Amino acid sequence: MIVDERMVTYIRSLERPENPVIEAIEQEALESFVPIIRKETQSFLKVMMLMNRPARVLEVGTAVGFSAILMSEYLPEGSRITTIENYEKRIPIARNKRAGKEEQITLIEGDALEVMKTLEGPYDFIFMDAAKGQYIHYMPEAVRLLADGGILMSDNVLQDGDIIESRFAVERRNRTIHSRMRDYLYELKHSNVLETSIIPLGDGVALSIKKKKEEKENR
């Protein structure tokens, strides 16, 4: 928990229910211990959809399709979501949950990095919610695919607060992910192409905007 638990509980208590389909997917995921975005991150993502009104969205990490379905509810008419998943057991579930939205949501199976290399941009919004140790490897492709002025939202970047710890204070099995995430956040904050804010929301969100050509030239 990176924010006081009482504060998180209060913020979550203010949330209104989603439509029954989204509520059912969320409940199923929680009961099956499938990680999905937290309530406060859901609210933030919805606001980002309504503020930016992206026409093309790329999601890296579908899981059971919860975030894609949630985003689809708040996107403008005619928008499209492409989402990538590599875990075979979750792909059929995600395809099933997408029922009725096949025209809006395209699910691609395969390794995220290899799939990203085959895609053509630009995307107005990219939501990164896949293997945390791979974010640093996805970053160049994400930047390539992102439109000038487009948004990259990376979830779970503060690792329940472990990100501020020494690598030796982190469990041995988590040290590689810890090191790579710190590298990823450093690269985001020192990029000449992206402007990034790291927000202690949910399990940590990095919100990056790709600078427009004239902004890059002025730096």
Side-chain angles (χ1 to χ4, degrees):
M1 184 69 68
I2 58 176
V3 178
D4 181 82
E5 190 170 355
R6 290 175 62 209
M7 182 64 72
V8 172
T9 301
Y10 170 68
I11 292 170
R12 290 180 180 177
S13 75
L14 299 174
E15 293 293 339
R16 293 180 300 175
E18 284 292 338
N19 73 45
V21 172
I22 291 175
E23 290 283 328
I25 297 172
E26 181 178 30
Q27 191 57 40
E28 255 182 62
L30 294 173
E31 289 172 359
S32 305
F33 302 101
V34 174
I36 59 171
I37 57 174
R38 304 182 189 192
K39 279 287 186 187
E40 56 274 32
T41 310
Q42 292 173 33
S43 290
F44 189 75
L45 186 58
K46 291 187 290 189
V47 170
M48 292 304 298
M49 295 296 100
L50 292 170
M51 281 178 59
N52 293 280
R53 299 182 61 79
R56 296 187 74 202
V57 173
L58 174 63
E59 179 185 42
V60 185
T62 313
V64 293
F66 177 78
S67 297
I69 297 292
L70 182 70
M71 286 189 285
S72 75
E73 291 289 302
Y74 293 88
L75 287 171
E77 188 176 348
S79 62
R80 297 287 182 270
I81 299 172
T82 300
T83 183
I84 307 169
E85 180 58 48
N86 195 37
Y87 187 34
E88 291 182 4
K89 291 184 178 179
R90 289 180 182 160
I91 290 168
I93 301 170
R95 286 201 184 281
N96 182 52
K97 301 303 180 194
R98 194 184 48 139
K101 296 210 170 190
E102 291 87 353
E103 286 190 13
Q104 187 179 18
I105 303 173
T106 300
L107 173 58
I108 303 177
E109 302 177 32
D111 175 79
L113 183 56
E114 295 308 311
V115 171
M116 290 171 80
K117 288 177 180 178
T118 69
L119 297 177
E120 300 261 348
Y123 288 91
D124 307 301
F125 190 93
I126 298 178
F127 182 47
M128 193 93 77
D129 190 23
K132 309 305 171 262
Q134 300 302 315
Y135 282 16
I136 188 69
H137 302 308
Y138 300 152
M139 184 178 170
E141 288 301 316
V143 171
R144 177 184 70 82
L145 290 168
L146 200 59
D148 284 356
I151 301 290
L152 168 64
M153 179 173 164
S154 309
D155 197 22
N156 303 116
V157 298
L158 297 182
Q159 303 181 325
D160 279 325
D162 280 353
I163 200 73
I164 62 173
E165 303 294 343
S166 157
R167 70 184 302 271
F168 299 107
V170 176
E171 288 186 38
R172 184 181 294 273
R173 63 190 175 89
N174 292 330
R175 286 179 185 172
T176 298
I177 294 174
H178 175 267
S179 174
R180 288 181 180 178
M181 184 58 77
R182 287 179 71 124
D183 289 344
Y184 178 65
L185 294 178
Y186 182 90
E187 291 298 325
L188 287 180
K189 290 296 290 183
H190 290 79
S191 169
N192 293 323
V193 179
L194 302 172
E195 193 66 45
T196 298
S197 177
I198 300 169
I199 307 164
L201 171 82
D203 193 22
V205 167
L207 195 67
S208 310
I209 184 166
K210 186 174 179 180
K211 299 173 187 175
K212 297 179 180 176
K213 185 177 180 183
E214 59 271 21
E215 295 170 335
K216 298 173 201 170
E217 290 172 350
N218 292 332
R219 289 299 297 267

